[in-house]
Amino acid sequence: MPRTARDVVFVDGVRTPFGKAGPKGLYAETRADDLVVRAIRELMRRNPSLPPERVDEVAIAATTQTGDQGLTIGRSAAVLAGLPKSVPGYAIDRMCAGAMTAVTTSGAGISFGSYDVVIAGGVEHMGRHPMGEGVDPNPRFMTDKLVDPSALVMGSTAENLHDRFPQITKERADAYAVRSQQKVAAAYAAGRIQPDLVPTAIRSAEKGWGLATEDEPPRPGTTMESLAGLKTPFRVAGNVTAGNAAGLNDGATACLLAAEDVARELGLAPRMRLVDFSFAGVEPEVMGVGPVPATEKLLARNALTMDDIGLIEINEAFAVQVLAFLEHFKIADDDARVNPWGGAIALGHPLASSGVRLMNQLARLFEERTDVRYGLTTMCVGMGMGGTVLWENVNWEGAK
């Protein structure tokens, strides 16, 4: 039987507060699967008109799929969250773009007609599972010179970007990082970040139980002076520091996607419409440029230019990576369209979960900016990739 493509909408999205990875971080003694379960339960609580049995799939990403991030975490999290046993689930890995891929893959299933409603998201507990844990790269990567040795060290790939774009200086990267911290602080003060945060129980053998209610990584007092003296761990006298890059973090995200007609049937209010998405590959040693070809391909396919894009949520893995994207598209470093409420340099980047954080913020921004029709969520991806998703504002005033 022929199938007709259906419009896919982003209904709602939540996340746990992000914590710092390590023995002193918020979630040092909290399980990764419990983080994503908390997010799924909150999604269902916030959308009471959705019968749990109408969820057709749970797609959850994790970069390190072992321990409490293993066991086909989409399915195990669905069961732990109390969804009916009839609801299936699966796990995804596209490194940093895991949650983004969970959305695009399951969203494509909705468009195709295989699903009506899905939950998609990601989790990363970098304190329990450091990046690269258990990885055994094939020796042919090096012996056959398939990639540069620096390709497997994300900080080194960022230093390579500084080499490729010498006009992107450390001072320029630091200035971008300071603005990110300032924007997050302003967004918190205005109550814009908090609506999508799920208060999350935490435990400590020493201190007992507590509640995480806000992100741990932001450093609102960051200045150019405080960043200037930081060490450059990936290269002597380099450019990449802990101040102009995202940290190592723990956290989870989840969102609710549905066919637009089904959302109406169930009384779910769409917040933005999925228009298209694109992934692209680049040389792994400069993986930070990945968003450029992914975005170029996406804009060309939809007969759009960057002038048509009113909001851009780009993951700040490294300041240099964001600046390379902006420079390519001739966008000013401080363009108001870009990460208006700050980004991962301040908020944190728990790898596979971050794609949905970008979507959460874009959806909130769309509600305030009814003058904006189109927005992007975009990110670089380890091993030399980039991903970009094009969204349409369902509240765009031009549609009325």
Side-chain angles (χ1 to χ4, degrees):
M1 239 180 124
R3 297 177 182 269
T4 303
R6 300 186 296 173
D7 283 336
V8 180
V9 292
F10 181 101
V11 173
D12 198 5
V14 299
R15 67 179 178 89
T16 66
F18 288 169
K20 296 179 180 179
K24 295 183 180 179
L26 276 177
Y27 303 119
E29 299 178 52
T30 302
R31 291 178 59 96
D33 47 12
D34 284 338
L35 295 178
V36 75
V37 164
R38 181 73 188 93
I40 293 171
R41 284 177 171 167
E42 178 65 8
L43 266 185
M44 300 305 295
R45 186 195 70 79
R46 284 168 43 151
N47 296 276
S49 68
L50 172 63
E53 64 273 13
R54 290 297 300 271
V55 177
D56 294 308
E57 188 73 273
V58 178
I60 300 297
T63 302
T64 307
Q65 295 188 13
T66 187
D68 53 351
Q69 291 181 181
L71 198 62
T72 313
I73 194 163
R75 171 59 172 173
S76 58
V79 172
L80 289 165
L83 294 177
K85 301 295 194 303
S86 58
V87 177
Y90 63 102
I92 285 179
D93 172 23
R94 201 199 290 261
M95 293 192 176
C96 304
M100 176 179 281
T101 305
V103 166
T104 57
T105 302
S106 57
I110 293 172
S111 181
F112 186 72
S114 297
Y115 307 136
D116 285 338
V117 180
V118 301
I119 291 172
V123 62
E124 209 75 52
H125 199 307
M126 300 180 77
R128 283 173 173 258
H129 306 292
M131 186 162 41
E133 179 189 34
V135 170
D136 180 18
N138 193 300
R140 288 203 306 111
F141 280 125
M142 302 305 158
T143 58
D144 293 3
K145 298 183 179 179
L146 298 174
V147 301
D148 186 88
S150 62
L152 302 180
V153 181
M154 295 302 99
S156 295
T157 69
E159 289 285 8
N160 292 343
L161 272 188
H162 276 286
D163 293 342
R164 181 169 288 197
F165 302 102
Q167 70 275 25
I168 303 178
T169 62
K170 179 179 182 297
E171 290 71 26
R172 196 170 152 195
D174 285 351
Y176 181 89
V178 169
R179 284 194 298 275
S180 182
Q181 295 283 355
Q182 291 170 340
K183 288 190 283 189
V184 165
Y188 254 104
R192 286 171 158 148
I193 302 288
Q194 295 89 326
D196 291 331
L197 297 183
V198 184
T200 302
I202 54 177
R203 72 171 296 277
S204 162
E206 179 184 348
K207 298 178 182 178
W209 288 94
L211 195 66
T213 59
E214 61 182 35
D215 295 303
E216 187 178 23
R219 299 180 296 275
T222 300
T223 64
M224 289 292 288
E225 292 72 25
S226 65
L227 296 185
L230 294 179
K231 295 179 181 178
T232 57
F234 303 104
R235 184 181 296 178
V236 175
N239 297 285
V240 179
T241 71
N244 59 33
L248 304 179
N249 305 106
D250 308 328
T253 60
C255 71
L256 193 61
L257 304 173
E260 192 162 17
D261 58 336
V262 174
R264 268 193 232 103
E265 171 204 334
L266 295 175
L268 302 170
R271 293 166 63 192
M272 56 186 184
R273 186 174 295 110
L274 175 59
V275 179
D276 198 358
F277 61 88
S278 176
F279 293 91
V282 297
E283 302 101 315
E285 56 268 25
V286 285
M287 67 94 196
V289 299
V292 170
T295 302
E296 286 183 322
K297 188 161 63 170
L298 188 63
L299 293 176
R301 193 162 60 219
N302 290 276
L304 297 172
T305 71
M306 197 56 83
D307 291 339
D308 298 305
I309 305 302
L311 289 165
I312 302 166
E313 283 291 325
I314 180 168
N315 192 47
E316 298 170 353
F318 302 94
V320 63
Q321 152 254 318
V322 178
L323 294 170
F325 176 90
L326 299 182
E327 188 151 299
H328 176 85
F329 288 104
K330 297 179 171 56
I331 299 171
D333 293 3
D334 58 354
D335 191 298
R337 294 177 293 171
V338 180
N339 293 2
W341 298 346
I345 287 174
L347 292 169
H349 173 31
L351 300 184
S353 69
S354 287
V356 167
R357 182 193 66 76
L358 300 175
M359 296 168 194
N360 289 348
Q361 289 197 193
L362 180 61
R364 290 286 174 190
L365 283 158
F366 272 160
E367 290 173 351
E368 292 189 8
R369 296 289 307 279
T370 58
D371 60 309
V372 171
R373 182 176 186 181
Y374 293 117
L376 296 178
T377 56
T378 186
M379 60 201 315
C380 61
V381 190
M383 284 302 293
M385 293 181 285
T388 304
V389 186
L390 175 64
W391 300 92
E392 184 177 23
N393 189 354
V394 298
N395 299 307
W396 177 53
E397 58 194 30
K400 298 174 183 177

